[in-house]
Amino acid sequence: MNGSWRSAPMPQHVAQLPRNTAGRPVPGNVSWYEADDDGSILVTSNDELGGHITCSCTPGRGTPAFGEQCPVRQREFMVQRLCGLCTKGIATMEQLAFVGETDAGYYLEPPLHQDCAAYALQVCPRLHAAGDRIEVALAQTYTLMEDRIVGMTAGGELRRARFAFGDPVARHLAVLEFYLAVPVAPTRQTGPEWVANRTQDAA
Ligand SMILES: [Zn+2]
Ligand SMILES: [Zn+2]
C-alpha cells in the first residue's frame, strides 16, 4: 500500500465523534450497547412507517458495535442526506460518496461526504483490507427503498424483502429495519484508485 494512508487527514466533524476505548472515532451510524442492554430487537408501529424496528441507543454511552448499524440513525441519515460517518448534512450541490461492493445497485450504509469516505477508506481496517473489492460510487443524489423483515426461515434466520419507499402495502406485511440508497447515475472507481486520484489532485 502507498505510504499516505497513515497520514489520512481526519475531517473536523469526525474528530468530534465519540471514541471507542482504543481512541478510534465511532461512525455515527454504529450501534451502541449499554451494560443493561440484553440486545433484543424492539419492534413498534406507527401510521407513517407501519411496523418498524426501533432503538434507544445513544452514541457515546456504552460500547460501540462496529459493523452494526443503529436502525434509527441509519433511517434518519438516509432520509435527511446526513453523512453516515460524521453525521452532518451533505449539501445538495455536493457529490456524495457511497462505499460498497463492486457494482452495488444499492447501499445499506448511508452516503458519506467525500472527505469522510476518503478518511474511512484509509483508516477502517475492514475497508482497507478489502482493497480493490471496495468501490466508491459518486452521485449527486439517490432514491430510497425499504429493507423490511418479512418473517423467519425454519433455521431461525430473518427473511428480508425490498419494497418501494413508502409502499402502503409493505407497512402491513413486514417490519421496516433499514432504508437502502440507490444512487442516481453514479460514477464508480475502486477505493484505492479513487483515494490515489484524490491525493494526486490535492498535491
Ligand atoms: Zn440505536
Ligand atoms: Zn461526513
Side-chain angles (χ1 to χ4, degrees), residues 59-197:
R61 288 178 58 174
T63 307
F66 277 90
E68 190 180 308
Q69 297 196 88
C70 171
V72 171
R73 283 193 298 284
Q74 195 268 6
R75 296 194 303 258
E76 181 191 344
F77 292 1
M78 286 290 207
V79 169
Q80 297 183 32
R81 198 182 161 107
L82 305 180
C83 175
L85 175 55
C86 79
T87 79
K88 304 297 179 192
I90 305 171
T92 48
M93 297 303 293
E94 235 177 276
Q95 280 211 314
L96 18 89
F98 289 98
V99 175
E101 288 170 15
T102 307
D103 276 329
Y106 58 83
Y107 295 85
L108 187 56
E109 301 248 348
L112 300 169
H113 293 107
Q114 291 190 47
D115 286 350
C116 290
Y119 176 75
L121 282 164
Q122 292 169 85
V123 304
C124 169
R126 181 177 58 88
L127 294 178
H128 195 71
D132 283 349
R133 285 175 289 118
I134 292 292
E135 197 169 62
V136 177
L138 297 180
Q140 208 66 42
T141 187
Y142 57 98
T143 59
L144 293 175
M145 292 190 302
E146 298 182 349
D147 178 44
R148 289 184 180 258
I149 297 165
V150 292
M152 192 94 81
T153 66
E157 299 276 306
L158 295 176
R159 282 200 302 124
R160 300 172 164 280
R162 301 195 300 273
F163 296 92
F165 182 74
D167 182 335
V169 178
R171 276 174 224 183
H172 300 289
L173 291 178
V175 175
L176 176 66
E177 184 165 21
F178 295 119
Y179 288 128
L180 304 170
V182 183
V184 175
T187 57
R188 302 173 187 272
Q189 277 184 301
T190 68
E193 188 183 18
W194 180 69
V195 169
N197 288 342

